[in-house]
C-alpha cells in the first residue's frame, strides 16, 4: 500500500505556542497528516480553547508550558516520552511582538522601549533556542527527528516599525542553520533542522495595522501587496503543506534551510 504524500502516521510532534493562531493551525495540520500532537502554551485559557477545537482531528494532548523555563520544557518532554515513547517533531511556534518594541509612524528608534526590545528577543529567540536544547537532546539520543523554527519576512530585509521582531527572527535564521550543522555532523544525519519564513497573513496581532475599521486595506497593506507578486495576503492554512513536507521522510536531505512562504515577496525587487 502506498502511503499518501507527507504521511506522518505514528510520528510524535510537540508544537510550542499551540494556543496561538499559527501554532494551533500547524498542530491541526500535523494531526490531519496522522501525527500524535502535543500542543503547549503559556496561556491555559487559549490552550483549552484550541484543544477543544483540534481534538476531533486526531490524537491530541496539551499542557501549559513556559518556553523560557528549562524545567517546564523538561516536564513536557517527560510527559511526551511517558505517553508516546519518543519525540519525532518539534515546531517552535511560540513568539510574538510587543507594542513597546514596535514603532508607529510618528516615532523613531530613539523612542523604542529597550525593555520591550529585550523581551521580544527573549520570547522569540530564547523561546526557540531553549526548546531546541531540551527536545533536540532527546532526538540526539534516538538519532532522528525534525525541528522546524518560525522565521519571518522581517528577517529577510528591513521592514519598518518592527526592529525588535526583526532582530529576533534574524537570530532564529542563523541559529537554525547552525543547529542543523551541529546535529547532523555530531549526532545523526537523520536529525534535521529547518525554518519557514511566513509572508504576510492577516491575524489578530496585525489586523489593526493592515485593515481599516471598514475592512479596507491600510496604506501599509497597499505597500505590502505592491511588493507581493501574487497580490494577496496568505491564508494561515497555506503554511501546513511545507511544515508537513519538512517533517516527512520525503525531506530527508533537507536541513539548514529557511523556506519563504510569502507569495513571492522575498523574490521581488519592486521593479
Amino acid at each position: 500500500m502506498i502511503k499518501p504524500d507527507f504521511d506522518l502516521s505514528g510520528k510524535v510532534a510537540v508544537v510550542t505556542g499551540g494556543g496561538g493562531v499559527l501554532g494551533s493551525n500547524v498542530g491541526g495540520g500535523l494531526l490531519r497528516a496522522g501525527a500524535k500532537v502535543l500542543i503547549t502554551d503559556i496561556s491555559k485559557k487559549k490552550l483549552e480553547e484550541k484543544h477543544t477545537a483540534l481534538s476531533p482531528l486526531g490524537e491530541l494532548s496539551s499542557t501549559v508550558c513556559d518556553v523560557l523555563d528549562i524545567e517546564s520544557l523538561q516536564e513536557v518532554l517527560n510527559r511526551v516520552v511517558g505517553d508516546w515513547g519518543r519525540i519525532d517533531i518539534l515546531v517552535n511556534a511560540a513568539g510574538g511582538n510587543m507594542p513597546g518594541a514596535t514603532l508607529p509612524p510618528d516615532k523613531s528608534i530613539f523612542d523604542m522601549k529597550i525593555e520591550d526590545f529585550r523581551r521580544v528577543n527573549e520570547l522569540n529567540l530564547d523561546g526557540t533556542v531553549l526548546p531546541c536544547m531540551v527536545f533536540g537532546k532527546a532526538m540526539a539520543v534516538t538519532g532522528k527527528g525534525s525541528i522546524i523554527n518560525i522565521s519571518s519576512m522581517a528577517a529577510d530585509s528591513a521592514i519598518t516599525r518592527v526592529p525588535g521582531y526583526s532582530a529576533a527572527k534574524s537570530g532564529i535564521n542563523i541559529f537554525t542553520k547552525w543547529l542543523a550543522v551541529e546535529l547532523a555532523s555530531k549526532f545523526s544525519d537523520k536529525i534535521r533542522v529547518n525554518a519557514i519564513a511566513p509572508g504576510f497573513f492577516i491575524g489578530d496581532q496585525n489586523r489593526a495595522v493592515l485593515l481599516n475599521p471598514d475592512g479596507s486595506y491600510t496604506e501599509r497593506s497597499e505597500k505590502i501587496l505592491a511588493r507581493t507578486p501574487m497580490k494577496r495576503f496568505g491564508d494561515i492554512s497555506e503554511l501546513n503543506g511545507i511544515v508537513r513536507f519538512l517533517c516527512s521522510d520525503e525531506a530527508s536531505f533537507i536541513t539548514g534551510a529557511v523556506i519563504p512562504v510569502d507569495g513571492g515577496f522575498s523574490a521581488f525587487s519592486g521593479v
Side-chain angles (χ1 to χ4, degrees), residues 150-160 162 165-166 169-170 173 196-201 224 227-228 258-268:
I150 307 299
S151 179
S152 168
M153 286 298 102
D156 189 68
S157 59
I159 293 177
T160 61
V162 288
Y165 191 74
S166 297
K169 292 301 187 181
S170 295
N173 280 7
I196 61 170
F200 294 89
F201 300 78
I224 291 168
R227 282 288 308 275
T228 304
V258 180
I259 300 175
V261 188
D262 66 348
F265 182 91
S266 59
F268 187 35

Side-chain angles (χ1 to χ4, degrees), residues 26-175:
V26 168
L30 294 174
L31 286 168
R32 291 185 183 93
K36 301 174 183 178
V37 178
L38 184 146
I39 57 173
T40 78
D41 202 277
I42 198 168
S43 169
K44 182 178 180 180
K45 180 180 179 181
K46 289 182 178 179
L47 195 63
E48 290 175 345
E49 291 174 353
K50 298 304 182 183
H51 185 106
T52 299
L54 295 177
S55 58
L57 301 178
E59 193 167 349
L60 175 71
S61 183
S62 62
T63 187
V64 173
C65 174
D66 180 357
V67 293
L68 300 178
D69 185 330
I70 286 283
E71 291 184 1
S72 182
L73 290 164
Q74 187 63 50
E75 289 175 2
V76 175
L77 175 61
N78 293 342
R79 175 171 173 172
V80 169
V81 173
D83 290 348
W84 292 330
R86 66 185 191 282
I87 176 172
D88 303 300
I89 297 164
L90 169 66
V91 181
N92 285 306
N97 208 345
M98 294 182 178
T102 302
L103 304 176
D106 61 336
K107 300 293 183 180
S108 76
I109 183 66
F110 309 113
D111 300 301
M112 184 178 66
K113 294 181 180 179
I114 193 62
E115 282 306 311
D116 280 1
F117 178 88
R118 289 171 175 159
R119 290 173 66 193
V120 167
N121 273 270
E122 183 180 45
L123 174 59
N124 290 278
L125 183 53
D126 293 10
T128 295
V129 172
L130 295 181
C132 285
M133 291 180 67
V134 172
F135 298 104
K137 186 175 182 179
M139 293 178 182
V141 172
T142 61
K144 59 182 180 179
S146 176
I147 296 173
I148 298 177
N149 298 325
I150 307 299
S151 179
S152 168
M153 286 298 102
D156 189 68
S157 59
I159 293 177
T160 61
R161 301 177 61 174
V162 288
Y165 191 74
S166 297
K169 292 301 187 181
S170 295
I172 286 173
N173 280 7
I174 193 60
F175 178 72

